[in-house]
Amino acid sequence: MNHNQLNSSLNNILVVDDIADNLRVLSASLTEKGYQVRCAKNGTMALITAKKNPPQLILLDIKMPDMDGYQVCAKLKEDELTRDIPIIFLSAFDDVLDKVKAFSVGGVDYITKPFQIEEVVVRIQHQLILQAAQAEIVELNTQLEQKVQQRTAQLEAVIDQLNLEIAQHQQTQKQLSHQALHDALTGLPNRTLFMEYLTKAIQRHQRNQDYLFAVLFIDLDRFKIINDSWGHAVGDQLLMAISRLLRECCRDLDTVARLSGDEFTILLEDLHNFQDATAIAERLLAKFMLPIHLQERKVFSAASIGIVFGSTTYHNGIELLRDADIAMYRAKTLGKGRYAIFDREMYAQTIHLSQLETDLRLALERQEFILYYQPIVSLETLSLAGFEALVRWQHPQMGLISPEKFMAIAEDTGLIIPLGEWVLQEACQQLYAWQSTFPSAASLHISVNLSSKQIKQFDFVDKLGQILTATGLNGASLRLELTETMLMDQGEKTIELLTQIKQQKIQLSIDDFGTGYSSLSYLHHFPINTLKIDRSFVNLIKEEESNCEIVKTIVTLAHSLGMKAIAEGVETSHQITHLTNLGCSAAQGYFFAKPLNRQLVESLIVNNPQW
Ligand code: C2E
Ligand code: CA
Ligand code: CA
């Protein structure tokens, strides 16, 4: 701000003095310098003038008759309108005390009379510049304050936005971790979260054995069938209904989790005793007896439950869950829709089974399998017609193991495929060798049992052909035994497969006939040569009531389909007579011979017995 500006804008000065000459001189000189000057001869006038139109500056004489300058100054300072007007005192005394008083009442400067007008102007200018600077500072401060307020507001907005984003982020984070620990379909805790709770329960029990807990392992007995036949949407509905049902049967403090597919687990905590756990299992099973209402249908889905009680022998959740799983399987094998409590013996059996599985794999490599051959006798000639090849496991420690002990595991593990192939190869090779060595063996056939896994292999027919070629055996000397379930399993596809097999002149036989659920109306579609009447029906042929309808019916059925009937498990001569009378063409059983090893078969062939 320059002086011109100052003069034009801030040029309003009030001069107060009781001496007219002083007033005149000051007024004239200042007017000349460009100031607008008003005058007052005493304090009262000064106050009135100042209040009416506040000047930029007041020159105030100290010594006045009615009210001195100090008093006027004090009054001006009292009023808000005039408080900020700079006051320069005019005084005749150059007294230190007066100066102090002048400043203490609010004066900004002090001029002693007699004065030089130049000094007065300089002092006035100083004050006006100062005042302007102060005004500017005030203005800047206000601006600054406004800006600060603005920035604060902006910052607050940004902070709000940030907080919002943080909250959203936390929400997403929460959702993600919820998703990572819960099953999407049922919303139940998943395996990870369940294991976490289980670990805590185990640790708590280690510290305090009064804290009792148990785990229920629940598997739906019919879920797969429902899912496959009604579709996944219904399967999903069922799983959700089940998860609700499980929750209803438990207390709030229990954890119901979905481990996978149709497997659920429940962690029961703070039990009073272990009966609490079995009571809950019973309650669950009772609920599972009732139909479950889904959107469009009612379904029944029984469950098998394995129970494990928490104990200090468990060091981690994996061990405990493994045992719960074992117990569940036990419940399942005991006949579904029930619960089983885990015990040590179960574990030993499982270990034994998995040991068996390992051994079984090695057995193939080590060629520990051998074939036994059970004679099949023609009921027309009562002489040897052929053999059924039956596999045995020559275990290095346990001795000869029957197929009943290892077939199920071989099926489950898929080992049946290489094993079955070996049996086929071995049986064909053996019969060919006998046919070549013994003329009386030329017309004998060999029956080989097949498993469903084997015939489901896409290259099964090729393999059969290769085996016949490699061993040199005529296809007509080979008879394959299939079960009813194997036939019904694949419908049309099976007919095609069997037709291809038949093209190699191989004969086909249905084993254990009568025990399966084959639809009899379907039977004539299959190119089958013989029905092998199951042992259990042959058993029914007893001396006393020799009228056994089922065997008769099967024989009649076979004949009407253009097939032959043969019997297995024949143990008495009475059974032979009866079967012969019914028109059964051949028989096999302990009555003739047990399954025999190679040497025994060879001496039998040589002897060529007539029974
Ligand atoms: P299967 O095909 O029904 O075989 C007949 C079973 O009945 C044989 O048991 C045989 O020893 C037994 N048996 C024979 N005559 C009598 C009798 O008069 N009375 C009684 N009580 N039993 C008799 P094994 O050898 O223990 O075979 C059991 C089952 O194992 C077989 O039943 C068959 O299903 C399966 N199997 C055996 N070898 C093989 C094979 O190489 N491959 C396949 N896939 N399964 C096989
Ligand atoms: Ca058989
Ligand atoms: Ca059989």
Side-chain angles (χ1 to χ4, degrees), residues 185 223 226-227 230-240 294:
L185 177 68
F223 176 73
I226 293 170
N227 206 42
W230 298 111
H232 291 296
V234 174
D236 284 356
Q237 281 176 33
L238 178 63
L239 290 173
M240 285 190 279
L294 304 182

Side-chain angles (χ1 to χ4, degrees), residues 105-123:
V105 294
V108 291
D109 206 351
Y110 191 91
I111 300 171
T112 40
K113 299 179 205 174
F115 46 75
Q116 282 188 296
I117 191 66
E118 282 73 21
E119 190 199 345
V120 176
V121 169
V122 168
R123 287 190 187 271

Side-chain angles (χ1 to χ4, degrees), residues 215 317 448 469 491 524 571:
V215 168
V448 175
T469 315
H524 72 275
E571 295 180 353

Side-chain angles (χ1 to χ4, degrees), residues 276-460:
D276 284 359
T278 50
I280 291 177
E282 273 160 20
R283 197 151 74 219
L284 279 171
L285 290 173
K287 283 256 183 177
F288 275 107
M289 297 293 286
L290 305 171
I292 296 171
H293 295 267
L294 304 182
Q295 273 163 28
E296 280 161 14
R297 50 182 63 79
K298 275 195 295 199
V299 297
F300 284 91
S301 178
S304 301
I305 304 179
I307 305 180
V308 173
F309 299 131
S311 88
T312 47
T313 54
Y314 292 113
H315 299 287
N316 60 51
I318 297 171
E319 289 171 359
L320 199 146
L321 214 56
R322 174 202 63 202
D323 290 351
D325 194 12
I326 292 174
M328 185 279 291
Y329 265 102
R330 170 58 59 91
K332 213 165 239 222
T333 42
L334 287 177
K336 304 191 173 178
R338 51 184 298 163
Y339 71 81
I341 298 168
F342 177 79
D343 59 45
R344 288 284 119 200
E345 198 189 319
M346 264 183 217
Y347 180 65
Q349 281 172 5
T350 319
I351 292 287
H352 175 69
L353 274 185
S354 57
Q355 185 60 45
L356 209 63
E357 185 185 328
T358 322
D359 287 359
L360 204 57
R361 285 180 197 281
L362 284 175
L364 260 175
E365 286 169 30
R366 296 180 183 159
Q367 304 187 316
E368 289 172 3
F369 294 103
I370 50 165
L371 287 186
Y372 269 47
Y373 304 89
Q374 186 173 34
I376 298 172
V377 176
S378 157
L379 291 183
E380 285 145 28
T381 62
L382 286 178
S383 61
L384 197 59
F387 302 97
E388 176 176 6
L390 294 159
V391 71
R392 306 281 179 266
W393 179 6
Q394 187 73 63
H395 194 282
Q397 282 89 41
M398 295 191 263
L400 213 56
I401 302 180
S402 104
E404 242 122 40
K405 293 246 167 61
F406 61 84
M407 263 310 158
I409 306 177
E411 293 261 357
D412 284 354
T413 55
L415 273 173
I416 189 67
I417 290 170
L419 176 59
E421 201 177 315
W422 176 83
V423 170
L424 259 173
Q425 166 84 30
E426 178 71 13
C428 292
Q429 192 177 320
Q430 184 60 75
L431 182 63
Y432 184 75
W434 287 330
Q435 288 177 337
S436 314
T437 320
F438 311 105
S440 60
S443 62
L444 297 182
H445 77 264
I446 186 101
S447 287
V448 175
N449 295 286
L450 292 183
S451 100
S452 67
K453 279 223 170 116
Q454 264 176 294
I455 65 162
K456 276 181 188 157
Q457 282 202 296
F458 73 99
D459 58 350
F460 178 68

